[in-house]
Amino acid sequence: MTIDAALHGALQGAFTRPIPKSAGAQVRYLVKQHHGSTKAVAQLLGFSQRTIERYVRDQIRKPRADLAEKMAAEVRRRWQPQVRAKARKAAATSDGLTVDVHCRFRFTAPVGSSDDPRMRHLTLALPPHHAARLLDAQEHGATDRQLQASLLMVVLGPLDAGILLQCC
């Protein structure tokens, strides 16, 4: 799982209603979000406009697996923007975020003992100012590698950044 996906997942926990379940309801929601334009939704999902119109009218009920995932992902990305913004603001001002990462650390050890890299599971509570930096970077389109670097600076804080080999 990427850091970007994990941040989206954390914000989805604040949703007050579940996303639409049927393919028709999901497509109707996307059409509504695009001000009634089936053409815009067709371009967004990579389908023909006619196919989108069929989903809107429930003439097609079962999409292919890849299609269903693409529709659900787009709906999830746009679902309850005000609730998402409120959760983002709360994380950035008062609540903070809880981060769960698996990292590989390398330690320098005395002669005769192993200094092989070791996987460690870290669960940390990020204070609001660090959560705000991470969420702002995500909002401004930071890549997963940039989010990872930002998170590492927060996690390692006073530690030497050279001890970290890889963070997943």
Side-chain angles (χ1 to χ4, degrees), residues 116-127:
D116 291 336
R118 295 177 179 95
M119 284 299 285
R120 295 289 184 244
H121 182 154
L122 302 174
T123 302
L124 303 166
L126 291 183

Side-chain angles (χ1 to χ4, degrees), residues 33-158:
Q33 290 294 303
H34 286 87
H35 308 291
S37 173
T38 54
K39 186 176 184 178
V41 174
Q43 289 174 345
L44 174 74
L45 297 174
F47 308 136
S48 70
Q49 184 175 355
R50 182 70 185 121
T51 301
I52 296 301
E53 290 167 358
R54 286 184 185 125
Y55 277 111
V56 168
R57 292 188 190 113
D58 280 331
Q59 292 174 342
I60 303 175
R61 293 182 186 267
K62 283 284 199 179
R64 295 187 324 256
D66 60 329
L67 221 59
E69 182 55 39
K70 198 183 280 189
M71 285 190 294
E74 286 300 326
V75 170
R76 252 185 261 113
R77 207 165 64 87
R78 290 173 171 73
W79 191 246
Q80 294 189 326
Q82 292 174 338
V83 172
R84 186 186 306 266
K86 187 176 177 182
R88 191 179 279 273
K89 183 178 178 184
T93 57
S94 61
D95 296 344
L97 288 174
T98 300
V99 179
D100 189 37
V101 294
H102 294 276
C103 296
R104 181 171 291 145
F105 288 94
R106 176 178 44 211
F107 301 94
T108 50
V111 176
S113 65
S114 171
D115 63 348
D116 291 336
R118 295 177 179 95
M119 284 299 285
R120 295 289 184 244
H121 182 154
L122 302 174
T123 302
L124 303 166
L126 291 183
H129 61 281
H130 290 306
R133 271 196 354 214
L134 197 60
L135 291 169
D136 285 343
Q138 180 201 25
E139 192 172 329
H140 292 309
T143 65
D144 199 60
R145 183 57 94 184
Q146 291 168 328
L147 290 172
Q148 191 178 54
S150 178
L151 182 60
L152 290 177
M153 294 307 280
V154 171
V155 169
L156 293 179

